[in-house]
Amino acid sequence: GAGVSQSPSNKVTEKGKDVELRCDPISGHTALYWYRQSLGQGLEFLIYFQGNSAPDKSGLPSDRFSAERTGGSVSTLTIQRTQQEDSAVYLCASSETGGGYGYTFGSGTRLTVV
Amino acid sequence: TQLLEQSPQFLSIQEGENLTVYCNSSSVFSSLQWYRQEPGEGPVLLVTVVTGGEVKKLKRLTFQFGDARKDSSLHITAAQPGDTGLYLCAGKASGGSNYKLTFGKGTLLTVNP
């Protein structure tokens, strides 16, 4: 596609429920990233996928968070047993290579846990 | 952990004024980027600087990378309401991960008509 597409754009869920967030990167971009943006906290790195290499999961805050990327394209970020502190905007980005020279971000998914 | 400190955190000015926002670190970065983010949208890349002392211009925006590659500034001339947004700097640490960017917390700029 022309840009990075994320869905849903907004998600309200009850505490304890599982949620899935989807990212469709720019076609041909081998690198895909998930970041979390909380009010006043800046962007926090979550996970990085590059081609067929093992993902860098070092930013995932707990084992309730997981992500996969199928066929080197679409990625899904799953949060199990959501907590109120998980409320944030989840941003996906992609780049042609390692991204050291810039990402293209999606519009994000605003997650609210009530 | 490489930190990027942005200042000021908030800035409200009148249309036509000039402004400068700053991005500082104690670490050396091999490249540094500036993004602008509008409400409900993801950050959009404005510029990447890679050489110490480098200056890049994008219409009314001037970006500078410090000689030691530890800091950067963004200067806007004759600000317009369309410049309103959250300005984020992000850097790739020298000797660090080849792909992971460290982001500052941003400067929220409001340009009043």
Side-chain angles (χ1 to χ4, degrees):
Chain A
V4 177
S5 179
Q6 291 190 246
S7 62
S9 55
N10 283 283
K11 176 73 175 178
V12 180
T13 190
E14 292 181 350
K15 178 181 173 181
K17 300 278 189 176
D18 298 352
V19 294
E20 283 190 353
L21 313 179
R22 176 189 168 101
C23 173
D24 197 346
I26 291 173
S27 179
H29 279 192
T30 59
L32 185 148
Y33 316 79
W34 285 96
Y35 278 78
R36 179 168 70 176
Q37 186 174 31
S38 303
L39 194 62
Q41 294 302 311
L43 272 73
E44 174 190 6
F45 169 81
L46 296 177
I47 189 167
Y48 162 73
F49 295 91
Q50 171 63 279
N52 295 319
S53 301
D56 177 352
K57 304 179 181 180
S58 61
L60 295 178
S62 76
D63 59 8
R64 296 186 295 105
F65 287 73
S66 63
E68 63 177 18
R69 188 179 185 191
T70 53
S73 181
V74 172
S75 176
T76 302
L77 176 68
T78 301
I79 308 174
Q80 295 178 311
R81 305 181 302 281
T82 51
Q83 303 295 313
Q84 287 187 329
E85 60 264 28
D86 299 334
S87 295
V89 176
Y90 289 82
L91 290 163
C92 175
S94 69
S95 66
E96 288 185 350
T97 56
Y101 295 95
Y103 302 160
T104 301
F105 281 91
S107 296
T109 294
R110 179 174 296 278
L111 175 66
T112 304
V113 182
V114 298
Chain B
T1 301
Q2 297 81 22
L3 295 176
L4 283 168
E5 302 279 348
Q6 291 192 245
S7 62
Q9 187 177 359
F10 300 98
L11 186 57
S12 180
I13 62 170
Q14 294 300 120
E15 182 176 2
E17 293 183 356
N18 301 332
L19 67 114
T20 303
V21 297
Y22 301 92
C23 175
N24 296 295
S25 177
S26 58
S27 300
V28 175
F29 288 86
S30 59
S31 66
L32 197 138
Q33 300 152 26
W34 286 91
Y35 293 81
R36 180 171 67 214
Q37 185 177 22
E38 298 184 19
E41 299 294 327
V44 174
L45 180 67
L46 297 175
V47 77
T48 300
V49 286
V50 298
T51 304
E54 182 176 4
V55 177
K56 281 192 174 180
K57 293 191 175 183
L58 182 65
K59 297 183 180 178
R60 293 176 294 99
L61 279 61
T62 301
F63 305 86
Q64 185 163 9
F65 200 13
D67 291 342
R69 292 184 289 133
K70 292 183 177 181
D71 55 86
S72 181
S73 64
L74 159 58
H75 181 80
I76 301 179
T77 303
Q80 299 176 1
D83 295 327
T84 293
L86 178 68
Y87 288 81
L88 295 160
C89 66
K92 186 171 84 69
S94 181
S97 160
N98 192 40
Y99 51 82
K100 192 181 300 183
L101 290 178
T102 299
F103 282 83
K105 293 184 179 181
T107 293
L108 186 58
L109 171 65
T110 303
V111 182
N112 302 297

